[in-house]
Amino acid sequence: ERVNRIVQLDGEDLREVKELNAGDIGAIIGLKNIRTGYTLTSFGVDTSEPNAKTHVHYLPFSRFQPPVFYCSVEADSGSDSSALEAKLHEMMIEDPSLDMEDDQETGQTLLKGMGELHLEIVTNRLIKDHKIGLRIGAMRVAYRETIQGSQEKHTCASHTIRGAESHGCVSLRIEANPEPVQDPEHSVVVEVADGVEKTLKHRVGDRLGSSCVENAKEGIVNALKCG
């Protein structure tokens, strides 16, 4: 990183200096990639190079505690929405304990922080300092159903494709897995009954038969993941 100026802070006064010593309160102007929590050092800088004193090395810091308090934020208009996203990203650079997430299940934009007071200060800054129209609410919980027993269902459907009538039937049996799930991403197991894929390939061809089975499995998995 290249340093443009080093200043010592004395209240509202800025006094340009050549170096900062232990106990000094100062600021470095011109840094582009530095974030809150980084450690700056001149160790390893070749002092024989011209302008060597205007360069520093930095060590990233990533051990911030995860957020513990959530709330939803919603902009009043489209223009406010763009400004909200831009300002939140700026504030997240200043404050790494602040985070934002779009919840795909509820459609909410969630603001995450270290507590109610933390998020209250952030939202007040957005509304009063940056003049962004904002609605603040509680985080919604997406409740899901689960399988407790077993159920079997048989259904048929027919469609006209290019003037020809096509028919299809599916038999589905759903039951809970008696074994504990170690990996939630692979918690849904779909098993195809013996002979089904072979029969389909015989009737509609290898390519279409495999496609029918894969599409059915994908539909089942997606439905079970959403509850």
Side-chain angles (χ1 to χ4, degrees):
E1 278 278 2
R2 181 177 177 82
V3 177
N4 291 339
R5 294 170 60 202
I6 300 176
V7 295
Q8 197 167 14
L9 304 178
D10 184 11
E12 296 181 353
D13 298 328
L14 304 181
R15 181 165 54 88
E16 189 166 350
V17 295
K18 294 183 178 180
E19 61 183 14
L20 291 171
N21 298 309
D24 290 344
I25 299 176
I28 300 175
I29 300 172
L31 304 180
K32 296 181 179 179
N33 300 313
I34 302 302
R35 301 290 182 264
T36 300
Y38 280 20
T39 299
L40 303 182
T41 176
S42 58
F43 179 78
V45 174
D46 187 353
T47 55
S48 64
E49 292 183 1
N51 300 321
K53 292 185 179 180
T54 64
H55 290 76
V56 294
H57 291 168
Y58 61 91
L59 306 174
F61 182 79
S62 59
R63 297 191 300 275
F64 289 99
Q65 294 296 318
V68 296
F69 196 86
Y70 295 43
C71 75
S72 70
V73 290
E74 183 179 357
D76 287 340
S77 65
S79 59
D80 283 331
S81 180
S82 300
L84 172 63
E85 185 174 354
K87 288 301 178 184
L88 277 177
H89 280 295
E90 286 182 14
M91 295 171 77
M92 285 160 55
I93 291 173
E94 297 173 4
D95 180 3
S97 63
L98 184 67
D99 197 9
M100 178 181 68
E101 176 190 357
D102 290 325
D103 192 321
Q104 300 298 322
E105 294 183 352
T106 64
Q108 290 182 305
T109 298
L110 300 179
L111 192 59
K112 307 177 184 180
M114 302 311 294
E116 186 175 2
L117 179 60
H118 182 201
L119 295 188
E120 186 179 332
I121 292 171
V122 170
T123 51
N124 280 341
R125 283 184 61 193
L126 291 169
I127 295 170
K128 295 180 180 179
D129 297 347
H130 302 298
K131 311 300 180 185
I132 298 175
L134 197 62
R135 292 190 295 273
I136 304 162
M139 181 183 72
R140 289 199 294 265
V141 178
Y143 292 99
R144 298 181 180 180
E145 299 171 329
T146 189
I147 302 167
Q148 293 182 327
S150 63
Q151 184 71 37
E152 191 165 344
K153 184 73 174 178
H154 181 80
T155 186
C156 293
S158 60
H159 295 279
T160 302
I161 303 174
R162 295 181 180 178
E165 192 77 11
S166 298
H167 302 272
C169 295
V170 174
S171 293
L172 178 65
R173 178 181 176 83
I174 296 178
E175 59 186 5
N177 190 346
E179 300 296 328
V181 176
Q182 301 296 332
D183 183 2
E185 290 296 321
H186 300 89
S187 59
V188 179
V189 179
V190 181
E191 297 179 350
V192 181
D194 293 339
V196 170
E197 194 164 353
K198 184 177 180 180
T199 302
L200 278 171
K201 289 180 178 180
H202 176 71
R203 292 187 177 182
V204 299
D206 289 350
R207 184 177 178 182
L208 187 56
S210 298
S211 177
C212 289
V213 172
E214 291 304 316
N215 288 338
K217 288 169 67 175
E218 183 179 353
I220 293 168
V221 169
N222 289 339
L224 289 175
K225 282 184 176 180
C226 294

